[in-house]
Amino acid sequence: MTETEERLHVLTKTGKKTGISKPRGEAHRDGDYNRAVHVLIFAESTQELLLQRRADSKDSWPGLWDISSAGHISAGDSSLVSARRELHEELGIVLPKDAFELIFVFLQQCIINDGKYINNEYSDVYLVTTLDPIPLEAFTLQETEVSAVKYISYGDYRSSLAEEHPDYVPYDVTGEYGQLFDIIKERYKENNVARSLALQRQLIRYASVSLNAELTGLSDGDTKALGLLVNAARVVDEIFYLQVWYSNPALRDWLKEHAGASKLDKLKWMYYSINKSPWSCLDENKPFFTTADSAIKLLPEATKPVSGWKGLEYKAAFPMLKPPGANFYPPDMDKMDSKLDVTIGPYETYEDALFGYKATFETFIGVRDDEATAQLKLFGNNLQVLEQNLPMDNAYKSTDVNAAPIRVIQLIYNAGDVKGPQTVAFNLLNDERIVKELGTSMVMLKNVSEAKFKHILQPIADVCIAKEPKELVDFESFFTHTICHECCHGIGPRTITLPNGQNSMVRKRLQELRSALEEAKADIVGLWALKFLINKDLLPKSLLKSMYVSFLAGKGQAVQFNWLFEKEAFILHPDETFSVDFAKVEGVVESLSREILTIQAKGDKEAASLLLQKYCKMTEPLKLALYKLESIQVPVDIAPTFTFAKDIME
């Protein structure tokens, strides 16, 4: 079977992801910017770097001496994962993440092989510091990549590169790559006396004092509790050390253990104890250590065993720049976007039928549909316009509605409060206070919508809609109204002013009736909003009739259906099919929108109760429609199974 070619992320000239990936060969053929890793193993005792001789079969620089290991960062992989993988694959060395020190990033550009191989690579350069050279017989070389390895002093290697020696892969040591040799030289040039003086100058900026407090007034119980509280505080100290940097506890223990070895080691421990990390708080987090000062770790299983050799000893890598994400995130995580879309947490309050305050937990895992998402920005960009034109008194309208980002996903798995009827979309966040401050974010589940349209709405239309308007029922109208429904959760009354001048929230005033009324509002105001956007030429006029018929076929719930039927916007024919009176429907939709919005704006629970009692019930037209649907067994909703999730769990 042919092996799939490695795919690379295509970058911009400034090194940002474009969202496009290409096979490795095509990327180098076209000169696309991409990412790679370079790993150099440095033996501290001999001041030597490990080099590999590239295999003669390589498509770039065959047979030449190069850095310890290197490789592309495949699409979907991280930098550190790639660095560890390349070292393992090419040299047979397995090292943990704390052995790799990212020292700089450089752009390598060249054209070789008669213009057939164009290299535009942003390379992350890692340094692995070992105490001594690794015995050559400990390596396991990947024959297709590496033909030999050797150690060379870092000074001699620099000279060979500077002279453009033909046996070595070229790097410009007068440019960015020269940092490698400058860092090593600077790291090992200082003597202990100079370093001790520097640490003493930093230490004297802090006055050592003893803090005491009067404890004679404490009861015996308080005194015992005080000891327990101090012990608890020490646990917090341990947590903080780990939060700052993943190797911080190991460095702390190493420095404490070796504090008595020399005056310099004592000063290191003293200044570290004040900062609780190797970065100086008074010097804008400038490091006062390097990896050369770090903990030594023995890892016998890192390579093949060699008789008489106890195994690989390395220095725990120390980042020269304080990690911006501390240890809260993976060490090489960036802010690049992902195709995966994950929502986990408390959301709906439907289970709390007592007050409607408490929320249940839900999870949605999906893959973002970028093409569909790009087409739907219209709705988020017009939230404020919709708010200002809502059919209700201007006094109730908000002037600071934030645009709602909308993203469309294909659902892979859901869990938690996703019982019974399946949602086709949800609006984040679901708390009035947070929505007022931050706005909303909308997630549309397109494959769920498509399944519902195919298995529910289309069969309903076939049975219940009159022949002529039946042709107007389509997925585009159905899905567009779904978007508007969710969009309209982000507008309308949320924080309200009561007659006595006090501020309150719709959720608190309407309590257990809030959810039902809010869903009815989103449904009917969503229909109003579509008509508004069509009138503004922001949506095609072809939606005008199909959106009303599609709403009649499946979107309208009891309150909305009964109101529109009572006001003669929906018509029942002698053959027991329904149609829409297009001359009346616009005004009737607006009247129900105004009714619900005003109830919410006033926080009028009594009016909400009366509305729901009158219209949220099984009327004769609804009974007739349901009877017809039962005769052909149209499903009420879908019960999805998630193939991908099932496969990975087996």
Side-chain angles (χ1 to χ4, degrees):
M1 185 172 68
T2 305
E3 186 175 341
T4 303
E5 186 176 6
E6 178 183 26
R7 296 187 70 88
L8 309 179
H9 280 302
V10 176
L11 310 180
T12 65
K13 289 185 178 180
T14 57
K16 304 297 182 183
K17 286 182 182 177
T18 63
I20 300 170
S21 68
K22 279 187 177 182
R24 176 182 178 274
E26 292 182 17
H28 283 291
R29 178 199 66 195
D30 300 337
D32 293 311
Y33 287 79
N34 59 86
R35 292 184 68 199
V37 290
H38 286 201
V39 181
L40 293 110
I41 296 178
F42 176 72
E44 194 175 64
S45 63
T46 60
Q47 301 282 286
E48 291 178 315
L49 288 165
L50 178 75
L51 302 185
Q52 64 158 268
R53 186 177 181 275
R54 296 171 66 83
D56 292 333
S57 59
K58 294 288 291 181
D59 57 1
S60 61
W61 317 113
L64 301 188
W65 288 101
D66 198 3
I67 57 176
S68 306
S69 71
H72 294 91
I73 300 177
S74 301
D77 282 350
S78 70
S79 173
L80 184 54
V81 165
S82 301
R84 296 178 67 191
R85 181 192 65 236
E86 294 300 327
L87 197 62
H88 180 208
E89 290 179 353
E90 295 183 0
L91 302 182
I93 301 176
V94 181
L95 290 176
K97 63 183 181 181
D98 71 345
F100 295 81
E101 177 187 359
L102 179 62
I103 52 177
F104 62 89
V105 179
F106 86 108
L107 175 59
Q108 185 180 25
Q109 295 181 291
C110 61
I111 301 175
I112 57 176
N113 298 350
D114 299 321
K116 297 177 182 178
Y117 191 98
I118 305 172
N119 203 33
N120 288 311
E121 286 182 348
Y122 280 94
S123 296
D124 295 344
V125 180
Y126 289 91
L127 190 65
V128 174
T129 302
T130 62
L131 291 192
D132 302 302
I134 301 169
L136 298 186
E137 57 268 37
F139 294 102
T140 302
L141 305 185
Q142 186 180 16
E143 294 181 358
T144 57
E145 298 284 333
V146 183
S147 60
V149 292
K150 71 174 182 180
Y151 275 98
I152 183 174
S153 74
Y154 80 90
D156 288 346
Y157 183 41
R158 187 190 188 287
S159 297
S160 297
L161 295 177
E163 296 167 1
E164 299 182 1
H165 195 290
D167 291 344
Y168 293 85
V169 173
Y171 295 100
D172 182 8
V173 295
T174 64
E176 292 179 291
Y177 214 76
Q179 295 176 80
L180 167 65
F181 305 98
D182 295 340
I183 289 169
I184 295 175
K185 181 180 179 181
E186 185 70 22
R187 182 167 293 181
Y188 293 97
K189 78 171 186 179
E190 286 193 69
N191 58 46
N192 288 352
V193 174
R195 293 202 62 198
S196 295
L197 289 173
L199 283 170
Q200 283 177 332
R201 286 193 294 269
Q202 290 176 302
L203 274 165
I204 61 175
R205 295 178 295 180
Y206 290 93
S208 179
V209 298
S210 294
L211 294 181
N212 297 300
E214 181 58 56
L215 304 180
T216 55
L218 295 182
S219 66
D220 290 344
D222 284 344
T223 302
K224 291 179 180 178
L226 185 59
L228 295 173
L229 290 170
V230 171
N231 287 335
R234 287 172 177 161
V235 173
V236 174
D237 232 0
E238 291 298 312
I239 294 171
F240 177 73
Y241 277 112
L242 186 58
Q243 286 179 318
V244 171
W245 173 47
Y246 65 85
S247 285
N248 204 29
L251 176 61
R252 176 202 58 194
D253 295 345
W254 171 266
L255 293 171
K256 183 178 181 180
E257 181 183 348
H258 293 81
S262 68
K263 180 181 179 181
L264 175 60
D265 289 314
K266 181 179 180 180
L267 291 170
K268 289 179 186 177
W269 171 240
M270 291 173 64
Y271 199 53
Y272 175 90
S273 299
I274 292 173
N275 291 278
K276 294 188 176 181
S277 81
W279 297 281
S280 176
C281 298
L282 292 180
D283 300 298
E284 298 181 340
N285 288 323
K286 183 180 178 181
F288 51 92
F289 293 157
T290 70
T291 296
D293 302 302
S294 194
I296 297 173
K297 296 188 176 182
L298 173 63
L299 202 63
E301 66 275 16
T303 67
K304 286 192 305 187
V306 175
S307 178
W309 182 55
K310 63 180 180 180
L312 188 151
E313 290 182 285
Y314 71 93
K315 292 286 188 73
F318 170 77
M320 294 184 290
L321 295 177
K322 188 175 185 293
N327 193 29
F328 300 117
Y329 312 98
D332 62 339
M333 191 193 83
D334 57 28
K335 291 184 178 180
M336 300 304 182
D337 203 0
S338 171
K339 292 279 287 186
L340 294 179
D341 190 283
V342 182
T343 300
I344 301 175
Y347 187 62
E348 295 289 9
T349 60
Y350 299 143
E351 290 294 311
D352 183 2
L354 193 60
F355 292 110
Y357 295 161
K358 302 295 184 179
T360 51
F361 280 72
E362 301 180 16
T363 296
F364 293 90
I365 302 172
V367 176
R368 194 177 64 234
D369 187 328
D370 291 327
E371 182 178 351
T373 298
Q375 295 173 349
L376 303 178
K377 290 183 179 178
L378 161 72
F379 298 95
N381 293 342
N382 283 278
L383 267 190
Q384 186 65 65
V385 176
L386 291 171
E387 174 75 23
Q388 293 309 307
N389 288 275
L390 284 173
M392 66 176 179
D393 193 290
N394 288 335
Y396 302 139
K397 296 175 182 176
S398 176
T399 58
D400 59 353
V401 174
N402 295 315
I406 305 174
R407 60 187 189 270
V408 180
I409 69 170
Q410 303 287 344
L411 185 64
I412 294 175
Y413 192 72
N414 63 14
D417 188 3
V418 291
K419 65 184 188 305
Q422 298 295 298
T423 186
V424 295
F426 53 91
N427 212 49
L428 297 170
L429 298 160
N430 211 19
D431 185 294
E432 287 94 341
R433 296 164 299 176
I434 301 175
V435 168
K436 183 173 177 62
E437 181 179 351
L438 301 176
T440 61
S441 176
M442 198 182 308
V443 182
M444 316 296 302
L445 313 179
K446 190 172 183 180
N447 54 345
V448 177
S449 292
E450 290 174 323
K452 289 200 176 197
F453 179 82
K454 178 181 178 181
H455 295 284
I456 302 171
L457 192 140
Q458 195 69 65
I460 289 175
D462 291 341
V463 173
C464 294
I465 304 300
K467 183 177 180 181
E468 185 176 344
K470 187 187 305 181
E471 304 302 321
L472 296 171
V473 177
D474 60 14
F475 177 70
E476 181 185 3
S477 301
F478 175 77
F479 190 58
T480 304
H481 180 263
T482 301
I483 297 165
C484 249
H485 171 105
E486 294 302 325
C487 184
C488 289
H489 278 307
I491 59 176
R494 288 184 178 275
T495 302
I496 58 178
T497 303
L498 301 177
N500 61 8
Q502 290 185 337
N503 290 329
S504 186
M505 292 181 291
V506 174
R507 182 189 297 270
K508 287 188 176 181
R509 298 295 300 175
L510 300 186
Q511 294 182 326
E512 74 278 5
L513 305 181
R514 176 260 173 191
S515 294
L517 202 66
E518 175 61 24
E519 288 303 313
K521 180 214 69 176
D523 242 12
I524 200 67
V525 174
L527 205 54
W528 167 87
L530 285 178
K531 179 62 167 62
F532 177 86
L533 294 172
I534 290 170
N535 288 345
K536 296 292 184 181
D537 293 325
L538 295 173
L539 286 174
K541 287 184 168 52
S542 58
L543 282 174
L544 192 55
K545 291 186 176 181
S546 62
M547 68 181 189
Y548 290 125
V549 180
S550 295
F551 185 85
L552 168 61
K555 284 294 292 181
Q557 302 300 313
V559 171
Q560 302 88 287
F561 178 89
N562 288 331
W563 180 286
L564 270 68
F565 185 81
E566 180 188 85
K567 311 299 183 186
E568 300 180 348
F570 289 167
I571 303 168
L572 176 60
H573 297 285
D575 64 355
E576 299 183 342
T577 62
F578 293 86
S579 65
V580 176
D581 187 331
F582 295 111
K584 294 181 179 180
V585 69
E586 180 180 347
V588 176
V589 166
E590 183 171 320
S591 69
L592 179 56
S593 298
R594 182 182 299 276
E595 181 77 11
I596 295 176
L597 289 168
T598 302
I599 291 173
Q600 289 182 321
K602 293 180 177 180
D604 192 339
K605 186 177 181 181
E606 182 179 356
S609 179
L610 290 173
L611 179 71
L612 293 174
Q613 286 176 20
K614 182 177 181 181
Y615 292 100
C616 190
K617 62 183 180 180
M618 188 61 64
T619 58
E620 288 303 317
L622 276 178
K623 289 179 181 177
L624 176 63
L626 288 176
Y627 178 78
K628 294 186 69 174
L629 295 178
E630 287 175 359
S631 67
I632 62 167
Q633 296 184 331
V634 174
V636 175
D637 209 276
I638 60 171
T641 56
F642 300 100
T643 306
F644 175 81
K646 182 180 179 181
D647 290 343
I648 63 173
M649 293 176 68
E650 290 180 348

